[in-house]
Amino acid sequence: MNEENEVVATSHCASCGIAEVDDIKLTKCTDCDLARYCSVKCQKNHWSQHEEACNKRATELRDELSFKQPESSYLGDCP
């Protein structure tokens, strides 16, 4: 895992490393969708390490939504 990008290729808690299995469901960070956590405690413990990358990615996601062009349709398009 790259510390700068924090892209999680497998389903492991970003804080404690526990793997997602049938009885353990991981939740994504709601701001950036990069990190996954097994509990609120792990998310809080990992925040100081995750904050910078999270804020950067959350800004990128907001920018993508802001500047996304609407889907083109044949209705109302100029010829």
Side-chain angles (χ1 to χ4, degrees):
M1 175 165 80
N2 184 335
E3 285 296 320
E4 285 184 359
N5 296 344
E6 288 198 37
V7 175
V8 181
T10 58
S11 294
H12 290 86
C13 177
S15 181
C16 70
I18 194 167
E20 182 173 44
V21 291
D22 292 339
D23 58 335
I24 299 173
K25 300 294 181 195
L26 301 180
T27 56
K28 289 182 185 178
C29 174
T30 57
D31 291 335
C32 69
D33 290 337
L34 293 177
R36 291 178 172 81
Y37 299 100
C38 64
S39 67
V40 173
K41 181 181 175 185
C42 275
Q43 187 172 8
K44 287 180 180 181
N45 287 342
H46 190 249
W47 178 244
S48 63
Q49 298 165 11
H50 177 64
E51 182 176 12
E52 186 177 335
C54 180
N55 289 334
K56 181 180 176 185
R57 180 63 182 146
T59 300
E60 291 170 357
L61 291 172
R62 280 191 298 273
D63 288 348
E64 286 174 16
L65 285 174
S66 295
F67 297 107
K68 183 179 179 183
Q69 295 296 316
E71 293 278 334
S72 178
S73 75
Y74 67 91
L75 298 175
D77 285 348
C78 295

